[in-house]
Amino acid sequence: MAVTAAPINTPAVERSPRYNPAEIEPRWQAAWDAQPELYAAEPPTSGKPKYYVLEMLPYPSGQLHMGHVRNYAIGDALARHMWMRGYNVLHPMGWDAFGLPAENAALKNNTPPREWTLANIAAMRRQMDRLGLSYDWQREITTCLPEYYRWNQWFFLKLYERGLAYRKNSKVNWCPSCATVLANEQVVDGCCWRHELVAVEQRELEQWFLRTTNYAEELLRDLDKLPEWPEKVRTMQRNWIGRSEGALVDFTVVPDEKDGRGHRFHPVKLNLTETFMEPEPEAVKISVFTTRIDTIYGATSLQLAPEHPLVAEFAAHSEELAKNIKGLLDEQKRAREMGVLGDLEKHGFPTGHFATNPFSKEPIPIWVANYVLMDYGTGAVMSVPAHDERDFEFAKKYKLETKIVILPRQVNNAEGVQKEPLLPYTEENSLLINSGEFTGLGCQEAQQKMAAYAEEQGFGKPSVTYRLKDWGISRQRYWGTPIPIIYCATDGLVPVPEDQLPVLLPEKIDITQEGGSPLARVPEFARVTCPKCGGIARRETDTMDTFVDSSWYFYRYADPKNSHAPFEAEKIAYWFPIDQYIGGVEHAILHLIYSRFWTKMMRDLGMVKNDEPVERLFTQGMVIKNGAKMSKSKGNVVSPDDMIARYGADATRMYALFAAPPDRDLDWQEDGVAGISRFLARVYRFATQAMPQAHAGRAQPLPQQLNALEQQLLRKLHQTIRRLTQEFEGRWHFNTCIAAIMELVNDLTAQESAIGQGAVNAAVLYSITRNLILMLQAFAPYLAAELWSQMAEDTPLLRAPWPVYDEALAAEDTIQIPVQVNGKLRALISVPVAISEEDLRAAVWADTKVQAAIAGKEVVKVIVVPGKLVNLVVRATSPTTPSTDAA
RNA sequence: GCGAAAGUGGCGGAAUUGGCAGACGCACCAGACUUAGGAUCUGGCGGGUAACACCGUGGGGGUUCAAGUCCCCCCUUUCGCACCA
């Protein structure tokens, strides 16, 4: 797709003498809209190296906010820069268009979700266009359209085939405000991620899950393959995956003698250990996960989570216990609702039962404790008060036995007698005592040997536990991807055959606030015939979590119109991984862990070759105002439209890059936008005035001999190019890039009248003006386009090569060397940059200020840092110097 | 509680490698043009002083000829994790 140059470089109308973004910007926007191929990625055959730069796709709320503007301004600057660097750039945009707000809007305004969403998309698209963002709109994707979501369904079927999607009944997080289930990742501090103050409830429901835990190990390990991700994000993901290495150990419940039958429990098969069950008598085992099996001889009780199945059995035989357990559970529920679950004081109750420690063979009491979590490990822990902080606190409260079984390797006091360590003592660099045959081993060695011993003896094994849970994707909502499953009375669970995809989301639906999945109330959707037997069957009426949509959307950009497959493998092989992904840190766990999972899953399906979707990740800071995040309730929201109307898109974008480095929070100050607007007006004035003169120097070489002014201006130009080149390659401090351009422009405008009188050679002026425009493009594309058209160049601005700086021209010939006396600045001397050290010393001694500063003192040392600074270390010549006030 | 990042003029920020602290912008002050400007231009602008001196990068100590930058202790703010056995 050849890019035609003509329309782009046509100065369309008479230029106003003053900078008028309200006139310039819409005119160029229209020109760009008429040429969508201008920003289109070229095919792989273009021979250019590829560069995939991506900003996180927005939810179409209907209004861009300043956070979006900042995000896109960063991405757009980079995309434009990389184009000029000669890359084949893919810079697409789309819409994360399913989700609850559309249903809420439907309730409020009686507008169908689809209509509402598409109208919002159109509105935001207009805002993006107005900002002059260089997106390849031919690749736009909208996740709520069947062309897209059918592939969610297709993936679901693949996952189901491979057992990676499964249905199970379990306790799930329920947000009463969203009226739907949430994934673990969507619960923040016990509350819904969208409703900060709404506590998540636990409900027992049958739900679809994706087996993210299959990839737990790889998701963790491959974080090491992402050195270009912020360390903060990697740490958050590591914490979230939460790998713990340890062992499972079975404790056997001691049969109850009072009961007479010798045994009164049913055998319970805990899911982590297979237990062979004799018919009579049945040994009941409690499996425990521990990372400190080395301290097992110090276990003085077992602690079960209140929800542990065995607890219910115990309680069935004791009214008092049943009452206590109910108390614990009620308290936990209240605490969760108030969001203070973590602050609960530890407490619990003895069950009256005992279990045998398989190592020491000693019986220890079984308790129920509120600090044991049912959803981590096995829901049961061995309590070692001497060597665990939580157990210590609990044991102290209930006066449980404390047994010390590890001691420091070194004698821990001056008397040379090993004393009891301060409890709880958890140091792993210790030795075991009172631990049977393991006494004397180091902790780490003991951990290996004891886990192996447990396995040998059949009462345990080494084990790894993760905090990461499978991803629950069922949502009891309407506006999402239908899950392609059919329930048949005869055939059970039947996947929708691939050739019947997509399962279309019905558009005619009454959104009400009634409970349950809205689709269940649409008979023509829910009622279906079984694909296998043709009998009456029922569709799954839950929809998918919208994070499914965003887990793979960036692959679809590479092949957005494909109607046979989600994408073609070769296209992915060319474009992936994403070179640069830019977005807010709020998705550090959610989107960024799901999409890593999805990539690995697709790789295992043979669809992609890359292990990771994103090579480099950049998380930009928030936009704040008056020290606080912008929000309607605080009344400090600044509207992008408003800024654009007052100052133009260029000034708005440029301010978003100028006010702070992109990774830091940015305080929005409207006066600052006005400042940028004034700066752009100066650029416009200078460039337009210089243009006729500069044209005379077009295609001319720079003169052999440069006068002082030419030299000075060219030096500044090349220093500026160097600065920008390095920043784009390195740390992205666009604020200093813009400051550097301002310095250049300040130098130019200071010489405006001299330039007007012809003091600068036309070729020099041409070079300066042209390069200034090229540098400006990344930050103020409209003004750059306008001025470029005045240059009457043939190449479209976006394809013009990025200027190369000339070190020789950038080099200073004279520099100011600071001269310090005892580290304090005393003089600045002007010397040639290439001065010899000898001459520099001579110049220092010759300087009158230096002479005054060292008069009457002895110079004991001279430090010369070539090209940087001179420091004279002096001391008073003699003790008789009249500093006599030391009386 | 644990971990990470940050703290520099009235404000946003700069100082990339230990080498002139405060680039650039905002605000403010003075002036020019203008028969009353939310325009433009010129100059000033860390504190202090008549001018120097001197003081100054959260606080305290240290290393060094030289510290915003390196080391130790402390304070504050933001973020992440927080019964994970």
Side-chain angles (χ1 to χ4, degrees), chain A residues 542-561:
Chain A
D542 283 355
T543 52
M544 292 183 204
D545 183 0
T546 57
F547 279 99
V548 170
D549 313 351
S550 54
S551 288
W552 67 279
Y553 77 100
F554 35 57
Y555 287 93
R556 185 71 176 170
Y557 285 137
D559 195 6
K561 309 237 156 63

Side-chain angles (χ1 to χ4, degrees), chain A residues 89 469 492 494 581 587 596 832-833 844:
Chain A
V89 174
K469 295 277 175 291
V494 182
Y581 199 20
H587 286 109
R596 292 184 60 221
V833 69
V844 168

Side-chain angles (χ1 to χ4, degrees), chain A residues 456-495:
Chain A
E456 219 174 276
Q457 299 293 312
F459 61 76
K461 60 179 177 186
S463 172
V464 175
T465 295
Y466 298 91
R467 203 179 83 122
L468 181 77
K469 295 277 175 291
D470 280 342
W471 175 14
I473 58 153
S474 296
R475 295 291 178 273
Q476 292 69 46
R477 301 304 335 158
Y478 159 68
W479 193 232
T481 305
I483 295 173
I485 290 288
I486 288 166
Y487 302 101
C488 170
T490 317
D491 297 305
L493 202 155
V494 182

Side-chain angles (χ1 to χ4, degrees), chain A residues 175 274 294 316 437 543 590 714 731 851:
Chain A
C175 172
E274 292 292 333
D294 53 311
E437 61 188 278
T543 52
L590 289 154
L714 279 174
R731 48 175 208 172
Q851 285 166 3

Side-chain angles (χ1 to χ4, degrees), chain A residues 546-608:
Chain A
T546 57
F547 279 99
V548 170
D549 313 351
S550 54
S551 288
W552 67 279
Y553 77 100
F554 35 57
Y555 287 93
R556 185 71 176 170
Y557 285 137
D559 195 6
K561 309 237 156 63
N562 195 325
S563 56
H564 313 290
F567 45 75
E568 230 177 75
E570 302 89 89
K571 291 185 175 167
I572 301 305
Y574 175 72
W575 286 112
F576 273 76
I578 294 165
D579 294 274
Q580 183 69 62
Y581 199 20
I582 306 164
V585 76
E586 65 272 14
H587 286 109
I589 306 265
L590 289 154
H591 164 58
L592 289 171
I593 216 161
Y594 294 140
S595 49
R596 292 184 60 221
F597 157 75
W598 208 276
T599 292
K600 291 175 188 307
M601 176 273 286
M602 293 195 299
R603 178 206 57 201
D604 290 348
L605 291 177
M607 300 177 66
V608 305

Side-chain angles (χ1 to χ4, degrees), chain A residues 290 292-299 382 384 387 405-406 432 450:
Chain A
T290 176
R292 294 301 300 269
I293 194 173
D294 53 311
T295 64
I296 198 166
Y297 281 86
M382 64 178 204
V384 185
H387 308 301
V405 293
I406 59 173
L432 272 64
M450 293 169 86

Side-chain angles (χ1 to χ4, degrees), chain A residues 221-541:
Chain A
R221 185 163 30 88
D222 282 1
L223 287 172
D224 296 338
K225 290 188 191 166
L226 303 173
E228 302 291 343
W229 281 38
E231 192 49 50
K232 180 187 163 114
V233 173
R234 296 196 291 163
T235 305
M236 285 169 74
Q237 294 211 355
R238 253 180 229 119
N239 288 342
W240 186 257
I241 296 165
R243 182 184 198 274
S244 286
E245 219 169 302
L248 287 168
V249 183
D250 294 339
F251 286 63
T252 309
V253 178
V254 178
D256 192 318
E257 286 164 19
K258 284 178 289 181
D259 188 75
R261 282 180 293 167
H263 215 280
R264 67 180 194 194
F265 329 112
H266 302 291
V268 174
K269 199 175 93 176
L270 296 176
N271 56 358
L272 288 153
T273 323
E274 292 292 333
T275 311
F276 179 71
M277 310 262 178
E278 297 287 348
E280 275 291 316
E282 296 146 321
V284 177
K285 296 195 173 171
I286 299 175
S287 181
V288 157
F289 176 72
T290 176
T291 54
R292 294 301 300 269
I293 194 173
D294 53 311
T295 64
I296 198 166
Y297 281 86
T300 56
S301 66
L302 276 191
Q303 302 288 344
L304 305 184
E307 305 91 336
H308 196 285
L310 202 55
V311 171
E313 287 196 40
F314 288 152
H317 299 269
S318 159
E319 273 179 38
E320 197 200 338
L321 187 60
K323 214 179 83 193
N324 286 337
I325 301 306
K326 189 170 181 305
L328 278 186
L329 289 169
D330 286 350
E331 182 194 46
Q332 277 191 345
K333 192 175 170 224
R334 278 197 307 275
R336 184 178 286 116
E337 279 165 9
M338 289 164 64
V340 293
L341 194 59
D343 305 332
L344 271 188
E345 199 193 324
K346 290 181 183 45
H347 58 264
F349 305 97
T351 61
H353 298 274
F354 288 79
T356 308
N357 181 334
F359 278 87
S360 67
K361 313 292 184 210
E362 283 169 17
I364 54 174
I366 304 172
W367 283 59
V368 182
N370 66 345
Y371 72 95
V372 181
L373 308 172
M374 191 57 223
D375 56 8
Y376 183 78
T378 61
V381 304
M382 64 178 204
S383 172
V384 185
H387 308 301
D388 181 282
E389 264 173 56
R390 295 147 302 177
D391 296 340
F392 183 78
E393 194 187 326
F394 190 85
K396 207 164 88 181
K397 179 167 174 181
Y398 291 103
K399 307 212 165 26
L400 299 176
E401 195 189 349
T402 300
K403 258 174 134 172
I404 296 174
V405 293
I406 59 173
L407 282 181
R409 287 172 185 269
Q410 307 291 321
V411 172
N412 59 1
N413 66 0
E415 290 99 75
V417 186
Q418 186 75 283
K419 282 194 179 169
E420 280 192 5
L422 189 68
L423 297 185
Y425 175 75
T426 58
E427 188 52 59
E428 288 208 28
N429 183 21
S430 305
L431 296 175
L432 272 64
I433 59 164
N434 299 328
S435 296
E437 61 188 278
F438 302 99
T439 297
L441 294 180
C443 289
Q444 276 156 17
E445 195 190 351
Q447 283 166 17
Q448 310 283 322
K449 293 204 162 151
M450 293 169 86
Y453 176 79
E455 192 163 24
E456 219 174 276
Q457 299 293 312
F459 61 76
K461 60 179 177 186
S463 172
V464 175
T465 295
Y466 298 91
R467 203 179 83 122
L468 181 77
K469 295 277 175 291
D470 280 342
W471 175 14
I473 58 153
S474 296
R475 295 291 178 273
Q476 292 69 46
R477 301 304 335 158
Y478 159 68
W479 193 232
T481 305
I483 295 173
I485 290 288
I486 288 166
Y487 302 101
C488 170
T490 317
D491 297 305
L493 202 155
V494 182
V496 173
E498 204 177 307
D499 58 11
Q500 288 177 27
L501 295 184
V503 176
L504 285 173
L505 189 63
E507 283 180 31
K508 273 194 67 179
I509 181 163
D510 285 329
I511 305 281
T512 67
Q513 262 167 322
E514 282 172 57
S517 296
L519 287 175
R521 294 188 298 270
V522 183
E524 56 278 25
F525 176 83
R527 276 188 215 149
V528 71
T529 53
C530 171
K532 269 192 185 162
C533 68
I536 295 175
R538 173 178 71 79
R539 267 193 206 288
E540 168 67 65
T541 53

